[in-house]
Each structure stands twice: as structure tokens, then as C-alpha cells.
Amino acid sequence: MRERWVARGRRLRWGALLSLLALVALLGAGWRWFRSIDWTPPRRRWVAFTLLVLTGAVWGVASAGPPRPLLPPAGPPSPEAVAAIQAGRPPGYPVGGLDISSHDHGRYPVHWPTEVAAGSEFVYIKATEGASYVNPHFAADYAAARAAGRYVGAYVYARPDRGDPIGQAEHFLRHARFTRDERTLVPFVDLEWPYAGLRTGPCYGLTPQQMREWIRAFIGRIEESVGRKPMIYTNTYWWNPCTGNDASYGSYPLDIANYTAKASNLPAGWSTFALWQYAPGDPDQRHSHDRDVVNGGPEALRALAWPPPPGG
């Protein structure tokens, strides 16, 4: 979540575009020089072919962008990283986990031996966005987390600006791999600010009434399918203005995004939270991912998996 790296990618693409424009100008000047010389037809064809091959290679290198450094092979846990992850958890919340998306594959994917050693007991993985996007790393990340013995859940990045809440929910359900077992976490719905590049306004161009209707249809379809309330990921300063302080979801588990010392000031309707995302990740830093803790310890984490707790 927090698709902030889209903006960084746009800056890289602009740099590549400017390089290509400079290359086009250089090739144009060379072509004008080439045409000014009185070549014989066979020689002209041979030189043109040679230039095409050479400049094609240059074009390919320029458009590919800067090479990424090679990642070291998976190895044993990093003691320094383990200590840093454990020390970074807020006091009183010993059960930690993380949530990841395709952005966590920019340079440093999750190093599961380190996460296991640090006590990262669960992971949420972005599955879909809108009605067509599927995270290309979802299946591999899901399998790796399962193999590492973690609790695993899927999440969907909601796109109210694209309408069709039922279609978006059903697209997510087709890919979420929700299973009624004791290690699959209830899905969560990511409802937050649009990431850079969408240009829809903070509330996706919807009024509070329109947003409430969209969320009701979207979450209702997921709840109907999985047989229990999905979790809602949000922030108070998005939820309250964009939903008009909708207090009707207080019985749904909450994943609160709050990068302060305490997970306080909850959105309208909630008096407590299930998960707290206390730190954002940086894909350009090793072992840096969005990090979460569970409110209530191991029992509370188990309650987010199947079967639901009594009355849940």
C-alpha cells in the first residue's frame, strides 16, 4: 500500500524520455549529413544498415533505464536486521507482521529467514486493484509466506473513482485465495488517499454520500462471500472527511495507519483496532517494509483467521 513509489517511477521515466529526445536530435543531424554526401546506391544501403544496427543497440540501452544492482542470494538471518525489527515495534505490542505489494520487489524482496527470526508472525499481500489489476508477485509471495509458516492474508486497494464496487470486489475475491483454515487471515480493504498520478482529489471525486454507498456495496460483497466481516485499513484523516464521519463500521476489524507514537485518534465509529501499521516501508532499503503489530497478542491474531471467534 502507500503507492508512493509511483511518483518516483514517473521521475525516472521523464529522465529516460529526455535522453531519448536528445538521441533523436543527434540521429537527425547525422541523417542530414549522410544525405548530403553523394554516395553510390550500394554503399548508401550498406552504411544505412550499419547505422541502424548500431543506433538500435544504443536506443535499447537508453530506454532500459539504469541497471538495478544484483541482489545477493538468500542467506541466514541478519542479526542486525532482526534486532532493528524487534526494537522498532511499539512497546506493549510483541506480535508483529508486515504488508507488502509489488513495490516490495523494487530491489529488496522480503527476506523470510530474517522475518521469521524477528518474530514477524503474519503478512498481508496486495492481490488486486480496481477491476483488472493483479499483483504479479502475489502468488509467489503468498507461497513463500505459507512455506515460512506465517499467517497470510490478501488485501485489495480500493478504487472508488472507477465505480463498479461489486465488480471490483468480485475481481479481488477471484484472486485472494481466501481459505477457511486457521492460517488464512480475513481479507482487508485498503481505503485511503489516491496515490500520486491518479489526480482524482483526496476522496476520488466522490461526495461523502457517494463514498458511503460505494463502500457499503464493496465491503458487503466481500463479507457475503467470505462469511465474516473483512478488515478495513484506513486513516482517520481520510475516513472522516471522505465518508462524512460514517460511524457504521465500528464492528469491523480496523487496521489503523498511524505513524506516531500511539495508535490514537481512531476514525468515526471505532473504539479499538485489530492491527496498527506503525511504520511505512522503503523499497530501496533492505528489510524495510510496511510494518504492523497486533492489538491483543497471539490470541488476537488467531481471531483474524478461520474459524471466527464466538459472535465474530
Side-chain angles (χ1 to χ4, degrees):
M1 66 195 68
R2 292 181 55 81
E3 316 285 348
R4 55 201 175 278
W5 296 99
V6 172
R8 184 173 181 270
R10 292 176 63 208
R11 289 195 296 271
L12 290 175
R13 289 195 293 272
W14 272 111
L17 178 60
L18 291 175
S19 299
L20 291 177
L21 290 175
L23 180 61
V24 169
L26 180 62
L27 291 176
W31 179 250
R32 288 191 296 273
W33 168 81
F34 173 77
R35 288 177 59 86
S36 67
I37 298 177
D38 186 20
W39 302 91
T40 61
R43 182 173 295 176
R44 178 177 290 185
R45 286 193 296 269
W46 181 84
V47 173
F49 175 77
T50 302
L51 287 173
L52 180 64
V53 171
L54 293 176
T55 56
V58 173
W59 186 279
V61 171
S63 63
R68 292 189 180 274
L70 293 176
L71 296 175
S78 163
E80 296 79 12
V82 168
I85 293 168
Q86 292 174 334
R89 292 184 186 127
Y93 299 93
V95 179
L98 58 158
D99 56 78
I100 58 176
S101 68
S102 62
H103 299 295
D104 292 86
H105 289 266
R107 287 180 65 185
Y108 301 111
V110 177
H111 189 256
W112 287 110
T114 295
E115 296 297 334
V116 171
S120 298
E121 298 291 342
F122 68 92
V123 60
Y124 270 101
I125 307 168
K126 179 177 179 179
T128 65
E129 175 181 332
S132 59
Y133 174 81
V134 178
N135 175 9
H137 302 283
F138 176 76
D141 284 341
Y142 200 98
R146 283 283 199 181
R150 305 303 90 183
Y151 285 85
V152 188
Y155 79 86
V156 51
Y157 187 91
R159 290 291 302 273
D161 57 311
R162 293 188 174 177
D164 191 16
I166 302 300
Q168 289 194 40
E170 290 179 345
H171 175 61
F172 170 65
L173 291 166
R174 285 193 295 272
H175 297 278
R177 298 194 176 189
F178 180 76
T179 305
R180 289 177 172 85
D181 62 30
E182 296 182 352
R183 304 295 292 184
T184 300
L185 299 173
V186 64
F188 85 63
V189 178
D190 185 347
L191 289 158
E192 60 170 308
W193 292 278
Y195 52 78
L198 293 185
R199 300 177 182 177
T200 64
C203 300
Y204 297 88
L206 275 62
T207 66
Q209 177 63 30
Q210 291 171 330
M211 183 66 76
R212 289 193 295 269
E213 292 174 356
W214 193 94
I215 292 173
R216 189 175 301 112
F218 184 76
I219 288 181
R221 180 65 187 92
I222 295 175
E223 183 175 358
E224 176 187 28
S225 176
V226 303
R228 61 180 297 187
K229 291 177 169 62
M231 184 152 50
I232 296 174
Y233 168 96
T234 194
N235 176 276
T236 302
Y237 300 105
W238 183 88
W239 181 271
N240 286 356
C242 290
T243 69
N245 294 293
D246 187 350
S248 63
Y249 289 92
S251 62
Y252 287 71
L254 171 67
D255 184 353
I256 182 67
N258 192 332
Y259 308 140
T260 60
K262 294 182 179 180
S264 56
N265 190 24
L266 300 181
W270 279 283
S271 59
T272 188
F273 60 91
L275 300 183
W276 170 16
Q277 188 188 80
Y278 65 90
D282 180 353
D284 281 341
Q285 300 294 322
R286 196 186 305 274
H287 307 299
S288 181
H289 310 284
D290 290 349
R291 296 207 173 269
D292 312 80
V293 287
V294 179
N295 185 16
E299 295 78 12
L301 179 60
R302 283 194 292 269
L304 291 174
W306 202 268

